[in-house]
Each structure stands twice: as structure tokens, then as C-alpha cells.
Amino acid sequence: DIPLERCLVYFGQLKGLTKTEIDTRLEGWLERFDLSAHRRKKVKELSKGMQQKAQIISTLLHEPDLIIIDEPFTALDPVNTQMIKDLLLSQRDQGRTILMCTHQMHQVEELCDRILLVNKGRDVLYGKLDEIRLQYASHAVLVRSPQEIPDLGGVIDRERQNGAWLLRLDDETTPQDILQNLVQTGITLSQFEIAAPDLDEIFIQVVAEEGADGQ
């Protein structure tokens, strides 16, 4: 039955802030999260999205160097989700360390530099996101062009994938060979990249390998 503002003041005091520091900082946070008009409402009367934003204010109010957040986008609409993403990136750019726990792999791909995949309480994969994606990349490239992609030496299979072409290469052909071939043929490229699986696919593969090793 505690009003929102009183609750946030209480948590700020628990984290060592003076009443003056809390008053100075809290007003800006409430305005930023569009909660000023709800400051005297009881926390239990707030929507799930408002409660989520209140938790984030409580987490950041004392300006910690280490930020630990669990599923920060739960119950948020797209506008507020983007606001929280921008806020987290801003905190990171200010030199703060952020540990985020989430099952939403697309959020991890967008925000994280390093990842730790956990399965049944055990860590199964850790490292820099870009390096892990390259580690699990197939021997293939994604190519997008407004023109027809011609037959190319070294390509053993091709398939359409979200408007682009996935070209699978033989063992002797490198992505650089394909790029050079395309440039020489005068093809206009709007996308060319090494095909890497998303984190959902990597997680499934790692868990499957763990299960096979345990049998």
C-alpha cells in the first residue's frame, strides 16, 4: 500500500543517498519515464509496465558502476522498450558494467558485448558475441542484390533467405573469392556477409552437443 514516490525514496535511502540527492535525481527520472502523474499512486495500482519502469528507476537512482537487471523489457510496449535500450546503451557508454539476464536472444544480440549461455544451471558457452557467432558460422555467405545472382564457381548450393541469397561454398572457396567474383561480374551488392547463425540456433546446437556428451 506504499505510494510510488515514497517507495523509490526508501530504496534510494537504502542505497546511501541523502534526501536532497534523491529529490534532485528522482524528479528527472519520473519525468523521463512518464511517471510524474502517478507518483502518489500505490505501487500495486500501477500497470505491469509502470512497475517495470519503477524498478529500473530504483536500480539506477544511485548511479551504480555495476548494474544487474533481470528481463528488463517485460511488459513494456515498443516505445518504452526502445527507451530502455537507449538508456542501457548510454549507461554502458558512460563506463558502467551491465549484467543482463534474459531469454530474449534478439535483445542479447542487439545489446551485449559478451554472453554466458546457461543450461540447467551450468555454463555451456562464454565469450565475445562476435567471436562466438563466427565460431558457429557455416561455410556460406549471404548476398543481397537488385540484380540476378549468376552461377558462381565454388558455390555448391543456394537458397532464398528473407529476400537474400544464402550461398553455400565448397571447402576450397573462401567468402573473399565469391566477393571478388561478384565485383568482377559487375553485380550491385546491397548486402554481403558471412552467414552466421542467430543466438537461438547457437543455443540449441550447444545444448544438443551437451546432451550428446552426457549420454
Side-chain angles (χ1 to χ4, degrees):
D1 295 342
I2 301 175
L4 171 62
E5 184 174 20
R6 183 180 171 188
C7 183
L8 292 174
V9 168
Y10 172 73
F11 281 116
Q13 290 174 328
L14 282 182
K15 294 168 182 176
L17 296 179
T18 66
K19 185 64 165 60
T20 300
E21 289 173 325
I22 294 171
D23 291 341
T24 300
R25 298 178 187 183
L26 186 54
E27 188 62 40
W29 281 111
L30 289 173
E31 290 181 4
R32 183 171 186 173
F33 282 82
D34 198 25
L35 290 174
S36 292
H38 307 280
R39 64 199 312 154
R40 291 182 176 83
K41 285 185 178 180
K42 297 175 182 178
V43 173
K44 67 178 183 180
E45 295 174 345
L46 301 176
S47 68
K48 293 293 185 182
M50 289 180 181
Q51 291 178 10
Q52 183 75 352
K53 291 190 288 185
Q55 291 184 57
I56 293 171
I57 292 175
S58 174
T59 300
L60 300 179
L61 188 61
H62 63 299
E63 299 178 356
D65 292 325
L66 174 62
I67 301 167
I68 302 176
I69 50 177
D70 183 15
E71 301 290 357
F73 307 106
T74 300
L76 296 181
D77 61 30
V79 172
N80 283 303
T81 294
Q82 186 59 53
M83 181 177 65
I84 299 303
K85 287 180 184 178
D86 293 340
L87 174 61
L88 293 177
L89 292 174
S90 173
Q91 295 289 311
R92 182 200 65 184
D93 293 343
Q94 293 175 46
R96 296 186 173 99
T97 300
I98 303 173
L99 298 181
M100 180 175 73
C101 177
T102 181
H103 293 87
Q104 304 299 318
M105 295 299 187
H106 64 284
Q107 307 285 12
V108 174
E109 291 178 312
E110 187 173 349
L111 296 172
C112 298
D113 302 312
R114 292 176 180 268
I115 63 168
L116 172 66
L117 294 181
V118 178
N119 181 47
K120 296 181 180 178
R122 296 177 56 246
D123 59 298
V124 295
L125 186 64
Y126 172 75
K128 293 182 178 180
L129 179 59
D130 291 342
E131 293 177 357
I132 287 174
R133 293 194 69 196
L134 284 176
Q135 176 186 342
Y136 285 86
S138 58
H139 194 50
V141 294
L142 277 172
V143 178
R144 190 185 303 269
S145 172
Q147 301 165 264
E148 184 67 27
I149 302 298
D151 291 333
L152 300 168
V155 176
I156 58 177
D157 188 33
R158 61 166 64 193
E159 68 176 82
R160 272 291 194 184
Q161 192 172 95
N162 298 323
W165 282 104
L166 177 68
L167 307 181
R168 294 187 177 85
L169 315 181
D170 62 31
D171 293 338
E172 290 74 34
T173 302
T174 67
Q176 289 74 20
D177 293 333
I178 298 300
L179 178 59
Q180 185 176 6
N181 262 343
L182 289 169
V183 171
Q184 288 176 345
T185 57
I187 294 294
T188 300
L189 297 175
S190 55
Q191 178 185 3
F192 184 92
E193 62 183 70
I194 296 173
D198 59 32
L199 280 183
D200 283 320
E201 296 171 312
I202 292 174
F203 184 81
I204 292 170
Q205 180 177 340
V206 171
V207 169
E209 291 171 354
E210 284 285 308
D213 291 341
Q215 292 178 350

